[in-house]
Amino acid sequence: MVKVVKFGGSSLASADQFKKVGNIIHSDESRRYVVPSAPGKRFDQDTKVTDMLYKCYAEASEGRSYDKQLKAIKERYNEIIKGLGLKLSLEEEFADIKKQFGVKAGQDYAASRGEYLNGIIMASYLGFEFIDAASVICFDKNGEFDPEKTNKVLGDRLADTKNAVIPGFYGAKPNGEVVTFSRGGSDVTGSIVARALKADVYENWTDVSGFLAADPRIVENPKPITIITYKELRELSYMGASVLHESAIFPVRKEGIPINIRNTNAPEDKGTMIVETTCNKPDCIITGIAGKKGFVSISIDKDMMNSEIGFGRKVLQVFEDNGISFEHMPSGIDTMTVFVHQDEFVEKEQKVLAQLHRAVHPDSVELEADLALIAVVGRGMKNNSGIAGNIFSALAKAKINIKMIDQGSSELNIIIGVRNRYFEDAIKTIYGVFVPEQ
Ligand code: ASP
């Protein structure tokens, strides 16, 4: 059995956290390949090392003094080294970083040092081999990640390596220039490493015991999700449930490798398993509820719209021309409504309206702002009748007016639009329909 284990920033923020990680790794021999993040926050007001590095590099590239900032970063690492009782010095590494800052090695290079240095400490602490991600995570000359080349290079490099630490978040172009993924990208590295090894499981260790069926800031004590499919997760993450980087599922999905979200501070919890497909049915029909506020609906009315070929395309073209992506598009016989993000739309509002008039000559266009969308997601909804009915009657009883309903034919999710001010109550009400109070 081979497991790839990725540890997030809060799991590696201090020597004490490193010790927990060490215990987790040593308690299971199959945890052979480790992908660390940079040290994260030790307490609420603390700063992540990655943020310190961005700031430090910004000072350096503007020609200001950055000695103090670099020293503070060095102290973060030295504190960990000391707390772990290691005989390791990062002096040479820091001298090199200073040199590279001097020749303006780039913001990505600067940010990547957080993971790089943490990887060196982790390898020394565990007695594992250190593999610089720049040598195995390949980007092309335009800075795009090259998955197939990486899979080959990484697979070959790890074939005879029993245990290794590979820092997360970055790789390099063919000329050696360091490139990072987007923020939170160590999740992606872990997934890439798991794919290259055809690992049995990709364990992603963080500071929560997996996904919850609803946001705990809205619903009191929501049920943990034990199993979720990749597709369900996509729906929920898109609507704001954020535990994992959204690109992290793609590499492992290619090989059918499950992801197990685990909690470094509660290793006995089983966490959430993310799988391609499963016979396991959630005991309360739905898997989870998530939502977002801040949408605008643009309703376009025109008599005989349904017989006007190309109407929808012309409308969407206006949004495309203005760089606005649309979220949902419910329609009636003579109406078409487009839901967009309010913050993408407000500034361009009048321009979009004028262009809509020119493009399709509508009878009227109406706007409604401050709307929220809620996604009720669950593989258990398929072929189960009465689900939408139950949601709607519960919302009606709670006097919450539904502005929009959208159910895809996959029956994996139902999207409900309500006014922003009903958002929390609507989520609580829907949750109550599926998870009766104990
Ligand atoms: N350290 C990087 C960040 O803060 C990457 C990661 O933690 O996954 O975004």
Side-chain angles (χ1 to χ4, degrees), residues 131-419:
I131 298 177
D132 185 356
S135 65
V136 284
I137 304 287
C138 311
F139 286 77
D140 67 17
K141 62 179 189 325
N142 303 317
E144 292 292 327
F145 173 59
D146 186 337
E148 297 320 314
K149 184 174 170 196
T150 301
N151 203 41
K152 172 92 184 54
V153 172
L154 193 55
D156 289 351
R157 177 70 179 78
L158 295 177
D160 301 316
T161 313
K162 184 159 184 285
N163 298 101
V165 174
I166 306 133
F169 192 38
Y170 71 94
K173 292 184 189 179
N175 69 0
E177 191 186 326
V178 168
V179 183
T180 62
F181 293 110
S182 57
R183 295 299 303 265
S186 298
D187 285 344
V188 185
T189 309
S191 181
I192 292 166
V193 174
R195 178 188 171 203
L197 284 160
K198 299 193 174 33
D200 294 281
V201 59
Y202 167 29
E203 288 182 348
N204 187 296
W205 291 81
T206 172
D207 52 8
V208 291
S209 296
F211 288 88
L212 298 169
D215 186 337
R217 288 166 300 187
I218 300 175
V219 172
E220 208 181 306
N221 250 330
K223 278 170 81 83
I225 300 177
T226 46
I227 300 190
I228 186 169
T229 65
Y230 292 130
K231 275 202 186 120
E232 290 174 308
L233 180 65
R234 283 284 293 159
E235 300 286 347
L236 287 176
S237 316
Y238 181 69
M239 278 295 184
S242 61
V243 172
L244 193 70
H245 189 293
E246 61 170 7
S247 304
I249 58 176
F250 300 115
V252 280
R253 199 176 172 170
K254 280 210 164 101
E255 289 291 336
I257 301 167
I259 306 176
N260 189 193
I261 308 286
R262 301 287 293 264
N263 188 350
T264 300
N265 304 319
E268 61 290 351
D269 289 354
K270 290 206 162 18
T272 301
M273 263 304 192
I274 310 168
V275 299
E276 175 73 42
T277 179
T278 171
C279 290
N280 166 290
K281 286 262 177 277
D283 48 9
C284 51
I285 299 182
I286 60 154
T287 303
I289 306 170
K292 271 194 216 163
K293 288 182 181 175
F295 292 92
V296 179
S297 69
I298 301 118
S299 298
I300 304 149
D301 269 19
K302 188 176 183 190
D303 284 347
M304 302 301 287
M305 171 194 293
N306 66 326
S307 56
E308 203 177 312
I309 291 173
F311 191 93
R313 178 182 49 77
K314 288 179 204 156
V315 167
L316 293 183
Q317 187 70 50
V318 171
F319 289 94
E320 185 179 338
D321 291 347
N322 284 282
I324 301 169
S325 66
F326 77 93
E327 297 300 307
H328 285 279
M329 200 181 50
S331 60
I333 306 287
D334 292 328
T335 354
M336 176 174 165
T337 306
V338 182
F339 276 77
V340 298
H341 283 279
Q342 197 153 332
D343 52 2
E344 281 181 27
F345 179 72
V346 271
E347 283 203 348
K348 299 172 184 164
E349 174 191 276
Q350 293 308 317
K351 197 168 147 219
V352 171
L353 289 185
Q355 287 179 13
L356 281 173
H357 274 279
R358 256 168 263 146
V360 293
H361 309 289
D363 296 333
S364 68
V365 180
E366 266 176 48
L367 299 181
E368 180 156 2
D370 302 323
L371 298 176
L373 294 177
I374 297 167
V376 184
V377 177
R379 58 189 184 279
M381 297 199 292
K382 203 171 171 121
N383 303 327
N384 234 316
S385 54
I387 292 174
N390 289 345
I391 296 177
F392 304 142
S393 55
L395 289 174
K397 235 198 237 150
K399 299 208 165 12
I400 296 171
N401 180 27
I402 301 174
K403 305 294 296 181
M404 195 263 312
I405 306 158
D406 197 352
Q407 179 181 22
S409 55
S410 65
E411 291 182 72
L412 188 69
N413 67 346
I414 300 176
I415 310 279
I416 296 156
V418 297
R419 292 209 174 83

Side-chain angles (χ1 to χ4, degrees), residues 6-10 36-40 48-51 53-54 111-112 114-115 168-170 180-189 245:
K6 179 257 165 179
F7 290 88
S10 58
S37 280
K48 289 176 162 197
V49 164
T50 309
D51 291 314
L53 284 160
Y54 278 124
S112 75
E115 272 65 14
F169 192 38
Y170 71 94
T180 62
F181 293 110
S182 57
R183 295 299 303 265
S186 298
D187 285 344
V188 185
T189 309
H245 189 293

